[in-house]
Amino acid sequence: MRASRTLTATISVVTLAFLALLGTGTHTVRRGETLTGIAAAHGTTAAALARENDITDPNRILVGRTLTIPGASAPAAPAGTTYRVRRGDTLGSIAARVGSTIAALVERNGLANPNLIRVGQVLSLPGAAAPAPTTAPVGGAQHHVVRAGDTISGVAARYGISQQQLIDANGLTGGRIYVGQRLSLLPPVAAPAAPAGSRTHQVTAGETLARIAQRYGTTINAIQTANGIRDPNLVVIGRTLTIPATSAGSTLRCPVDGALRFMNDWGFPRSGGRFHEGNDLFAARGTPTVAVVGGTALQKVGVIGGQQVKLLGDDGTSYYYTHLDRFGAAGRVSAGTVIGYVGTSGNAAGTAPHLHFELHPGDGEAVNPFPSISPVC
Ligand SMILES: [Zn+2]
C-alpha cells in the first residue's frame, strides 16, 4: 500500500512539473470545453477571457481556436497564507518550500485533479496562521447551485473568490461537491472549524464587544474573562483583545450518543426550493441525543422540525436538534446531558430515523456542522 502511494505521488510530481512549464499564455479549445472551465483551469474568469479574446457569445467557442489567457485574476493575498504557482514549480516543491505535504495542499485547495496546477494559480497554504482573506463574490451573488462538471476551483474562479473562502463557507471536505448542492459564496460568519488556541482582534471604531463575540462565535463573557475587562461597555479603540478558542471543531460532544452514520449533506436540495441547512445523523429510533456543549436547552414543537430542541451553548453558538421522538432534559444542561431521542417527528415522518442537526455561530445564520462533528462522531 505504502509503496504504491509513493509511486503515485512521484508520478504526480513529474506530471505537475510538466504542466507548470506548459501553463503559459494561450489555450487551444478542445471538444467539450466551456469558457468557464477553461477560465477556472487558468485561474481567471470567463468574463476576462471573453474580453481578452473579443468573444461576444461566451456559450459559443470554437473547437481548435487558440485563446489568449489574460493575466491571472485570481484574488491576491498577503504573503504567507497563499502561494502563486510559478514556472517550474511542482506541488512537491511547493509543499517542501512551505513545510507542508502534497496531500495537505490537495485537500486544502479542493484540487479535483491533483495533476492539474497552472502557472499563476493561487494555492491556499495549510496551517497558515492568519485566516484566509475573504472577498465579496463578483456580481453580488450569494449562492451557487452546483451543476454537472462544476469544481471547487471553477466555482471560486467564476465568482472571483478564493477556493479557501468557498471551502470554509461550506465546510467542504475531500474536495467534493455534489450536483444540486447550494454553496454559499459569502465569507463564513465564523470559522466553523476554528483551530484550537486563541486568536487576537484589534478593536476598531464602532465595534462593540457583542459584535466581536458574534464574529468569532464566542461570548462577551468569555472575551471579558480572557482580557480582564470589568465593564463590557468600555473597550478602547486600538486595543488588541485575546479571543478565546471556541469549542466548535475541537471540544464538541457528538450530538448522538450511539451508533450513527452521516455524510456531508449540507446544502443538498430539498423540496420547495429549500436547501439543507444542517447534517442528518442517522441512528436507531430512540438513540439518545446529547448536548454538544453546556448551555440552555429550549424545547419547541413545529410542523417541519417536529419535536425540536434549541441549545443555546455557553460557547455563543446555537445548536438545533430536530425530528426527535421524545424530549429529554430542558433548561440548564451540561455537555453530554440527554436532551432528546432520535426519531421521525415533523416532516421526517416516513423516513429513516435521524437527527437533523444545525449549528448557528453567534445564534446567527447556520453554517455546515460537518467539520465540527465529523472529528467527534
Ligand atoms: Zn436534515
Side-chain angles (χ1 to χ4, degrees):
M1 240 2 219
R2 179 164 290 273
S4 73
R5 287 182 78 100
T6 308
L7 180 61
T8 308
T10 307
I11 292 169
S12 300
V13 169
V14 171
T15 315
L16 287 167
F18 177 66
L19 286 170
L21 279 169
L22 279 185
T24 50
T26 62
H27 177 95
T28 303
V29 179
R30 292 184 294 260
R31 189 172 302 277
E33 284 188 322
T34 63
L35 209 56
T36 305
I38 296 168
H42 291 276
T44 182
T45 64
L49 266 184
R51 247 194 329 271
E52 182 78 21
N53 295 278
D54 294 325
I55 295 170
T56 47
D57 183 353
N59 295 317
R60 283 200 47 151
I61 51 170
L62 297 180
V63 173
R65 174 167 177 188
T66 297
L67 300 175
T68 302
I69 309 296
S73 64
T81 60
T82 62
Y83 179 85
R84 189 180 291 273
V85 178
R86 291 196 286 257
R87 187 180 298 269
D89 278 344
T90 67
L91 212 52
S93 73
I94 296 169
R97 183 190 305 229
V98 302
S100 186
T101 64
I102 292 175
L105 285 172
V106 166
E107 166 81 22
R108 177 90 180 172
N109 293 278
L111 301 175
N113 181 352
N115 295 326
L116 276 176
I117 59 166
R118 305 280 186 183
V119 170
Q121 180 175 358
V122 176
L123 297 174
S124 174
L125 302 181
T134 55
T135 328
V138 167
Q142 299 197 354
H143 296 104
H144 173 80
V145 176
V146 176
R147 291 185 296 248
D150 277 350
T151 61
I152 291 173
S153 59
V155 172
R158 173 167 173 185
Y159 295 98
I161 62 176
S162 69
Q163 292 178 41
Q164 195 55 44
Q165 176 171 326
L166 192 63
I167 289 167
D168 287 345
N170 297 280
L172 301 175
T173 53
R176 282 191 297 273
I177 52 177
Y178 300 88
V179 171
Q181 179 179 20
R182 186 181 68 162
L183 299 175
S184 172
L185 303 171
L186 301 175
V189 285
S198 55
R199 292 162 288 178
T200 60
H201 174 87
Q202 191 165 24
V203 180
T204 57
E207 280 189 325
T208 63
L209 222 48
R211 171 79 59 84
I212 297 167
Q214 178 169 356
R215 171 168 169 189
Y216 290 98
T218 183
T219 60
I220 297 173
N221 207 1
I223 295 179
Q224 276 185 266
T225 305
N227 295 276
I229 298 171
R230 290 216 185 121
D231 182 350
N233 297 317
L234 266 179
V235 185
V236 180
I237 294 170
R239 173 166 177 186
T240 298
L241 298 174
T242 298
I243 308 295
T246 61
S247 66
S250 48
T251 59
L252 290 190
R253 298 284 188 110
C254 180
V256 173
D257 187 14
L260 79 164
R261 60 192 169 77
F262 64 106
M263 64 176 291
N264 192 358
D265 57 352
W266 164 265
F268 279 21
R270 288 293 186 261
S271 63
R274 294 174 306 119
F275 290 91
H276 200 219
E277 298 214 319
N279 294 149
D280 288 340
L281 314 182
F282 292 87
R285 187 182 299 280
T287 305
T289 68
V290 301
V292 291
V293 293
T296 303
L298 307 173
Q299 299 174 345
K300 187 185 148 187
V301 179
V303 176
I304 293 175
Q307 299 192 78
Q308 51 201 288
V309 172
K310 178 177 180 179
L311 174 66
L312 299 169
D314 293 338
D315 58 355
T317 294
S318 292
Y319 304 90
Y320 296 4
Y321 300 67
T322 69
H323 308 317
L324 303 170
D325 265 9
R326 282 188 291 136
F327 285 125
R332 183 71 215 166
V333 294
S334 314
T337 300
V338 176
I339 55 177
Y341 298 87
V342 171
T344 52
S345 64
N347 70 352
T351 70
H354 66 278
L355 174 71
H356 169 90
F357 182 72
E358 295 186 10
L359 191 156
H360 297 249
D363 201 27
E365 293 267 298
V367 302
N368 188 353
F370 191 83
S372 302
I373 60 173
S374 58
V376 294
C377 284

